Amino acid sequence: QVQLVESGGGLVQPGGSLRLSCEVSGRVLSINTMGWYRQAPGMQRELVATIATGGRTNYGDPVKGRFTISRVNATNAVSMQMNSLKPEDTAVYYCNAVLRDAQTYTDRGIWGQGTLVTVSS
């Protein structure tokens, strides 16, 4: 029953901004890492940004200085602010979480369904 609920994708002009959100739905024991990966048409899925317990962040080189990932206080969710968007940022963005399952007490990764971000004039 645990799943990731994504929101915030859409169409934006170059230089504009979008904010993506991802929330864990369902009961978990803990969340080790949450973040975003993206996949453009015909391309491999690549790292965008992750945030781990304690707040340590990791960004893919193409988005450094433009994207900021943060934890949403008091919720099992993350928010990613995307500024100065470029056409090459166009992709399906997938939320990812590494968590400890409440039923099995084992660590596992889970993926969202993806949300489309299109940057175009």
Side-chain angles (χ1 to χ4, degrees):
Q1 295 182 355
V2 177
Q3 62 184 58
L4 302 180
V5 181
E6 304 158 324
S7 63
L11 174 65
V12 65
Q13 291 185 311
S17 298
L18 283 175
R19 180 174 176 268
L20 301 184
S21 296
C22 178
E23 182 176 1
V24 178
S25 176
R27 182 170 176 263
V28 299
L29 294 179
S30 62
I31 300 173
N32 300 122
T33 306
M34 292 189 69
W36 293 91
Y37 295 74
R38 68 186 184 186
Q39 188 169 16
M43 304 289 287
Q44 297 295 312
R45 191 170 298 186
E46 65 178 6
L47 167 72
V48 179
T50 61
I51 184 166
T53 301
R56 176 171 291 186
T57 57
N58 188 34
Y59 295 93
D61 287 339
V63 309
K64 288 181 178 177
R66 299 187 296 120
F67 293 9
T68 304
I69 190 168
S70 60
R71 194 179 308 279
V72 179
N73 291 338
T75 65
N76 292 328
V78 292
S79 175
M80 185 170 70
Q81 180 69 35
M82 305 185 295
N83 296 328
S84 302
L85 284 162
K86 305 174 181 179
E88 48 263 49
D89 294 319
T90 297
V92 177
Y93 285 68
Y94 296 91
C95 184
N96 173 263
V98 179
L99 51 84
R100 176 150 292 188
D101 187 84
Q103 284 74 46
T104 65
Y105 294 88
T106 58
D107 294 337
R108 66 186 183 99
I110 187 170
W111 291 92
Q113 292 297 113
T115 184
L116 178 63
V117 172
T118 302
V119 184
S120 176
S121 61

Short mmCIF file of all heavy atoms in Angstrom, two decimals, residues 57-100:
data_model
loop_
_atom_site.label_atom_id
_atom_site.label_comp_id
_atom_site.label_asym_id
_atom_site.label_seq_id
_atom_site.Cartn_x
_atom_site.Cartn_y
_atom_site.Cartn_z
N THR A 57 22.41 16.60 0.92
CA THR A 57 21.86 16.62 -0.43
C THR A 57 22.91 16.23 -1.46
O THR A 57 24.11 16.39 -1.25
CB THR A 57 21.29 18.00 -0.79
OG1 THR A 57 22.31 18.99 -0.64
CG2 THR A 57 20.11 18.34 0.12
N ASN A 58 22.43 15.75 -2.59
CA ASN A 58 23.27 15.38 -3.71
C ASN A 58 22.57 15.79 -4.99
O ASN A 58 21.38 15.50 -5.16
CB ASN A 58 23.55 13.87 -3.70
CG ASN A 58 24.58 13.46 -4.72
OD1 ASN A 58 25.51 14.20 -5.01
ND2 ASN A 58 24.42 12.26 -5.27
N TYR A 59 23.29 16.48 -5.88
CA TYR A 59 22.71 16.98 -7.11
C TYR A 59 23.47 16.49 -8.32
O TYR A 59 24.70 16.37 -8.29
CB TYR A 59 22.72 18.51 -7.14
CG TYR A 59 21.85 19.16 -6.09
CD1 TYR A 59 22.38 19.54 -4.86
CD2 TYR A 59 20.50 19.40 -6.33
CE1 TYR A 59 21.58 20.14 -3.91
CE2 TYR A 59 19.70 20.00 -5.38
CZ TYR A 59 20.24 20.37 -4.17
OH TYR A 59 19.45 20.97 -3.22
N GLY A 60 22.73 16.21 -9.38
CA GLY A 60 23.38 15.95 -10.64
C GLY A 60 24.00 17.22 -11.19
O GLY A 60 23.48 18.32 -10.99
N ASP A 61 25.11 17.08 -11.90
CA ASP A 61 25.84 18.25 -12.39
C ASP A 61 24.99 19.21 -13.22
O ASP A 61 25.14 20.43 -13.08
CB ASP A 61 27.06 17.80 -13.19
CG ASP A 61 28.17 17.25 -12.33
OD1 ASP A 61 28.18 17.55 -11.11
OD2 ASP A 61 29.02 16.53 -12.86
N PRO A 62 24.10 18.74 -14.09
CA PRO A 62 23.35 19.69 -14.93
C PRO A 62 22.42 20.62 -14.16
O PRO A 62 22.02 21.65 -14.72
CB PRO A 62 22.54 18.77 -15.86
CG PRO A 62 23.29 17.48 -15.88
CD PRO A 62 23.83 17.34 -14.49
N VAL A 63 22.08 20.29 -12.92
CA VAL A 63 21.11 21.10 -12.19
C VAL A 63 21.71 21.84 -11.02
O VAL A 63 21.00 22.61 -10.35
CB VAL A 63 19.92 20.25 -11.71
CG1 VAL A 63 19.34 19.44 -12.86
CG2 VAL A 63 20.31 19.33 -10.56
N LYS A 64 22.98 21.66 -10.76
CA LYS A 64 23.61 22.33 -9.62
C LYS A 64 23.52 23.84 -9.76
O LYS A 64 23.79 24.40 -10.81
CB LYS A 64 25.08 21.90 -9.50
CG LYS A 64 25.26 20.48 -9.01
CD LYS A 64 26.73 20.11 -8.88
CE LYS A 64 26.91 18.70 -8.35
NZ LYS A 64 28.33 18.30 -8.28
N GLY A 65 23.12 24.48 -8.67
CA GLY A 65 22.96 25.92 -8.67
C GLY A 65 21.61 26.41 -9.14
O GLY A 65 21.29 27.59 -8.98
N ARG A 66 20.81 25.52 -9.72
CA ARG A 66 19.50 25.90 -10.21
C ARG A 66 18.35 25.21 -9.47
O ARG A 66 17.28 25.79 -9.31
CB ARG A 66 19.37 25.58 -11.71
CG ARG A 66 20.38 26.33 -12.57
CD ARG A 66 20.10 26.12 -14.06
NE ARG A 66 20.26 24.72 -14.45
CZ ARG A 66 19.29 23.97 -14.97
NH1 ARG A 66 18.08 24.49 -15.18
NH2 ARG A 66 19.53 22.71 -15.32
N PHE A 67 18.57 23.97 -9.04
CA PHE A 67 17.54 23.21 -8.33
C PHE A 67 17.90 23.10 -6.86
O PHE A 67 19.08 23.00 -6.50
CB PHE A 67 17.42 21.80 -8.90
CG PHE A 67 16.88 21.71 -10.31
CD1 PHE A 67 16.71 22.83 -11.10
CD2 PHE A 67 16.56 20.47 -10.83
CE1 PHE A 67 16.22 22.74 -12.39
CE2 PHE A 67 16.07 20.36 -12.13
CZ PHE A 67 15.90 21.48 -12.91
N THR A 68 16.88 23.09 -6.02
CA THR A 68 17.08 22.94 -4.59
C THR A 68 16.06 21.95 -4.04
O THR A 68 14.85 22.15 -4.19
CB THR A 68 16.93 24.28 -3.85
OG1 THR A 68 17.84 25.24 -4.39
CG2 THR A 68 17.22 24.09 -2.36
N ILE A 69 16.55 20.89 -3.42
CA ILE A 69 15.68 19.90 -2.81
C ILE A 69 15.66 20.10 -1.30
O ILE A 69 16.69 20.43 -0.70
CB ILE A 69 16.10 18.46 -3.18
CG1 ILE A 69 15.03 17.45 -2.75
CG2 ILE A 69 17.46 18.11 -2.60
CD1 ILE A 69 15.24 16.06 -3.33
N SER A 70 14.51 19.92 -0.69
CA SER A 70 14.38 20.12 0.74
C SER A 70 13.32 19.18 1.31
O SER A 70 12.46 18.70 0.58
CB SER A 70 14.04 21.57 1.08
OG SER A 70 12.81 21.95 0.48
N ARG A 71 13.42 18.94 2.59
CA ARG A 71 12.44 18.12 3.28
C ARG A 71 11.27 18.99 3.72
O ARG A 71 11.46 20.12 4.19
CB ARG A 71 13.09 17.44 4.48
CG ARG A 71 12.27 16.31 5.07
CD ARG A 71 13.01 15.68 6.24
NE ARG A 71 14.37 15.29 5.91
CZ ARG A 71 14.71 14.17 5.28
NH1 ARG A 71 13.77 13.30 4.91
NH2 ARG A 71 15.98 13.90 5.01
N VAL A 72 10.07 18.46 3.59
CA VAL A 72 8.88 19.15 4.09
C VAL A 72 8.73 18.81 5.56
O VAL A 72 8.63 17.63 5.92
CB VAL A 72 7.63 18.77 3.29
CG1 VAL A 72 6.41 19.48 3.84
CG2 VAL A 72 7.82 19.09 1.82
N ASN A 73 8.68 19.82 6.40
CA ASN A 73 8.64 19.61 7.84
C ASN A 73 7.42 18.80 8.27
O ASN A 73 6.31 19.04 7.80
CB ASN A 73 8.65 20.95 8.57
CG ASN A 73 9.97 21.68 8.45
OD1 ASN A 73 11.01 21.08 8.19
ND2 ASN A 73 9.94 22.98 8.65
N ALA A 74 7.68 17.84 9.17
CA ALA A 74 6.64 17.05 9.83
C ALA A 74 5.86 16.14 8.88
O ALA A 74 4.80 15.65 9.23
CB ALA A 74 5.67 17.95 10.59
N THR A 75 6.38 15.92 7.69
CA THR A 75 5.73 15.03 6.74
C THR A 75 6.77 14.15 6.05
O THR A 75 7.95 14.47 6.02
CB THR A 75 4.95 15.80 5.66
OG1 THR A 75 5.87 16.56 4.86
CG2 THR A 75 3.93 16.74 6.28
N ASN A 76 6.31 13.04 5.53
CA ASN A 76 7.17 12.16 4.74
C ASN A 76 7.15 12.62 3.30
O ASN A 76 6.61 11.95 2.41
CB ASN A 76 6.71 10.71 4.87
CG ASN A 76 6.92 10.15 6.25
OD1 ASN A 76 7.86 10.51 6.95
ND2 ASN A 76 6.04 9.24 6.66
N ALA A 77 7.75 13.78 3.08
CA ALA A 77 7.68 14.39 1.76
C ALA A 77 8.91 15.24 1.50
O ALA A 77 9.60 15.68 2.42
CB ALA A 77 6.42 15.24 1.63
N VAL A 78 9.17 15.47 0.23
CA VAL A 78 10.22 16.38 -0.19
C VAL A 78 9.67 17.34 -1.22
O VAL A 78 8.68 17.04 -1.91
CB VAL A 78 11.45 15.64 -0.79
CG1 VAL A 78 12.17 14.84 0.28
CG2 VAL A 78 11.03 14.76 -1.96
N SER A 79 10.32 18.48 -1.33
CA SER A 79 9.97 19.49 -2.30
C SER A 79 11.23 19.86 -3.07
O SER A 79 12.31 19.96 -2.48
CB SER A 79 9.38 20.71 -1.61
OG SER A 79 9.13 21.75 -2.53
N MET A 80 11.10 20.06 -4.36
CA MET A 80 12.24 20.47 -5.18
C MET A 80 11.87 21.70 -5.99
O MET A 80 10.98 21.65 -6.85
CB MET A 80 12.70 19.35 -6.10
CG MET A 80 13.95 19.70 -6.89
SD MET A 80 14.66 18.29 -7.78
CE MET A 80 13.40 18.06 -9.04
N GLN A 81 12.55 22.79 -5.70
CA GLN A 81 12.37 24.03 -6.43
C GLN A 81 13.30 24.04 -7.63
O GLN A 81 14.51 23.86 -7.48
CB GLN A 81 12.64 25.24 -5.54
CG GLN A 81 12.47 26.59 -6.21
CD GLN A 81 11.04 26.90 -6.55
OE1 GLN A 81 10.13 26.53 -5.81
NE2 GLN A 81 10.82 27.57 -7.68
N MET A 82 12.76 24.26 -8.81
CA MET A 82 13.54 24.27 -10.04
C MET A 82 13.47 25.66 -10.65
O MET A 82 12.40 26.10 -11.07
CB MET A 82 13.01 23.22 -11.02
CG MET A 82 12.96 21.81 -10.45
SD MET A 82 12.49 20.55 -11.67
CE MET A 82 10.81 21.07 -12.01
N ASN A 83 14.60 26.34 -10.68
CA ASN A 83 14.69 27.69 -11.22
C ASN A 83 15.54 27.71 -12.48
O ASN A 83 16.30 26.79 -12.76
CB ASN A 83 15.28 28.63 -10.18
CG ASN A 83 14.43 28.80 -8.95
OD1 ASN A 83 13.20 28.73 -9.02
ND2 ASN A 83 15.07 29.02 -7.80
N SER A 84 15.41 28.80 -13.22
CA SER A 84 16.19 29.00 -14.45
C SER A 84 16.12 27.80 -15.36
O SER A 84 17.14 27.31 -15.88
CB SER A 84 17.65 29.32 -14.09
OG SER A 84 17.73 30.47 -13.28
N LEU A 85 14.93 27.32 -15.58
CA LEU A 85 14.74 26.09 -16.35
C LEU A 85 15.16 26.27 -17.80
O LEU A 85 14.97 27.33 -18.40
CB LEU A 85 13.29 25.63 -16.26
CG LEU A 85 12.92 24.98 -14.93
CD1 LEU A 85 11.42 24.95 -14.72
CD2 LEU A 85 13.49 23.56 -14.86
N LYS A 86 15.72 25.20 -18.34
CA LYS A 86 16.21 25.16 -19.71
C LYS A 86 15.46 24.10 -20.50
O LYS A 86 14.94 23.15 -19.92
CB LYS A 86 17.71 24.83 -19.72
CG LYS A 86 18.57 25.75 -18.88
CD LYS A 86 20.01 25.25 -18.85
CE LYS A 86 20.89 26.14 -17.99
NZ LYS A 86 22.29 25.64 -17.94
N PRO A 87 15.41 24.23 -21.82
CA PRO A 87 14.75 23.19 -22.62
C PRO A 87 15.31 21.80 -22.37
O PRO A 87 14.55 20.83 -22.42
CB PRO A 87 15.02 23.65 -24.06
CG PRO A 87 15.12 25.13 -23.96
CD PRO A 87 15.81 25.39 -22.64
N GLU A 88 16.60 21.70 -22.09
CA GLU A 88 17.20 20.40 -21.83
C GLU A 88 16.77 19.79 -20.50
O GLU A 88 17.10 18.63 -20.21
CB GLU A 88 18.73 20.47 -21.91
CG GLU A 88 19.33 21.63 -21.14
CD GLU A 88 19.61 22.84 -22.02
OE1 GLU A 88 18.72 23.25 -22.79
OE2 GLU A 88 20.74 23.39 -21.94
N ASP A 89 16.05 20.54 -19.69
CA ASP A 89 15.47 19.98 -18.47
C ASP A 89 14.18 19.21 -18.74
O ASP A 89 13.64 18.56 -17.84
CB ASP A 89 15.18 21.09 -17.45
CG ASP A 89 16.44 21.76 -16.93
OD1 ASP A 89 17.43 21.04 -16.67
OD2 ASP A 89 16.43 22.99 -16.78
N THR A 90 13.69 19.29 -19.95
CA THR A 90 12.46 18.59 -20.32
C THR A 90 12.64 17.08 -20.14
O THR A 90 13.55 16.48 -20.70
CB THR A 90 12.06 18.90 -21.76
OG1 THR A 90 11.77 20.29 -21.88
CG2 THR A 90 10.84 18.09 -22.17
N ALA A 91 11.77 16.47 -19.35
CA ALA A 91 11.87 15.05 -19.05
C ALA A 91 10.68 14.63 -18.20
O ALA A 91 9.95 15.47 -17.68
CB ALA A 91 13.18 14.74 -18.32
N VAL A 92 10.53 13.33 -18.05
CA VAL A 92 9.65 12.80 -17.03
C VAL A 92 10.46 12.69 -15.75
O VAL A 92 11.53 12.07 -15.75
CB VAL A 92 9.06 11.44 -17.42
CG1 VAL A 92 8.21 10.87 -16.29
CG2 VAL A 92 8.23 11.57 -18.69
N TYR A 93 9.97 13.28 -14.70
CA TYR A 93 10.66 13.28 -13.42
C TYR A 93 10.01 12.25 -12.50
O TYR A 93 8.80 12.27 -12.28
CB TYR A 93 10.60 14.67 -12.77
CG TYR A 93 11.53 15.66 -13.42
CD1 TYR A 93 11.31 16.12 -14.71
CD2 TYR A 93 12.66 16.13 -12.75
CE1 TYR A 93 12.17 17.00 -15.32
CE2 TYR A 93 13.53 17.03 -13.35
CZ TYR A 93 13.28 17.46 -14.63
OH TYR A 93 14.13 18.35 -15.23
N TYR A 94 10.85 11.36 -11.97
CA TYR A 94 10.38 10.26 -11.13
C TYR A 94 10.87 10.46 -9.69
O TYR A 94 12.07 10.61 -9.46
CB TYR A 94 10.90 8.92 -11.63
CG TYR A 94 10.39 8.53 -13.00
CD1 TYR A 94 11.08 8.88 -14.15
CD2 TYR A 94 9.22 7.79 -13.14
CE1 TYR A 94 10.63 8.52 -15.40
CE2 TYR A 94 8.76 7.42 -14.38
CZ TYR A 94 9.46 7.78 -15.51
OH TYR A 94 9.00 7.42 -16.76
N CYS A 95 9.96 10.42 -8.76
CA CYS A 95 10.33 10.44 -7.36
C CYS A 95 10.82 9.06 -6.93
O CYS A 95 10.33 8.03 -7.41
CB CYS A 95 9.13 10.86 -6.51
SG CYS A 95 9.52 11.04 -4.75
N ASN A 96 11.79 9.05 -6.05
CA ASN A 96 12.35 7.81 -5.53
C ASN A 96 12.51 7.91 -4.02
O ASN A 96 12.87 8.97 -3.50
CB ASN A 96 13.70 7.51 -6.17
CG ASN A 96 14.39 6.32 -5.55
OD1 ASN A 96 15.25 6.48 -4.67
ND2 ASN A 96 14.04 5.13 -5.99
N ALA A 97 12.22 6.82 -3.33
CA ALA A 97 12.44 6.77 -1.89
C ALA A 97 13.04 5.43 -1.52
O ALA A 97 12.65 4.39 -2.06
CB ALA A 97 11.15 7.00 -1.13
N VAL A 98 13.98 5.46 -0.60
CA VAL A 98 14.52 4.25 0.01
C VAL A 98 14.02 4.24 1.44
O VAL A 98 14.33 5.15 2.21
CB VAL A 98 16.06 4.22 -0.04
CG1 VAL A 98 16.57 2.95 0.64
CG2 VAL A 98 16.55 4.30 -1.47
N LEU A 99 13.22 3.22 1.78
CA LEU A 99 12.54 3.21 3.06
C LEU A 99 12.55 1.83 3.70
O LEU A 99 12.84 0.83 3.04
CB LEU A 99 11.09 3.69 2.88
CG LEU A 99 10.25 3.02 1.78
CD1 LEU A 99 9.62 1.72 2.28
CD2 LEU A 99 9.17 3.96 1.27
N ARG A 100 12.22 1.80 4.99
CA ARG A 100 12.05 0.53 5.68
C ARG A 100 10.57 0.24 5.76
O ARG A 100 9.80 0.99 6.37
CB ARG A 100 12.69 0.57 7.06
CG ARG A 100 12.44 -0.71 7.86
CD ARG A 100 13.57 -1.01 8.82
NE ARG A 100 14.79 -1.37 8.11
CZ ARG A 100 15.88 -1.83 8.71
NH1 ARG A 100 15.91 -1.98 10.02
NH2 ARG A 100 16.95 -2.12 7.99
#
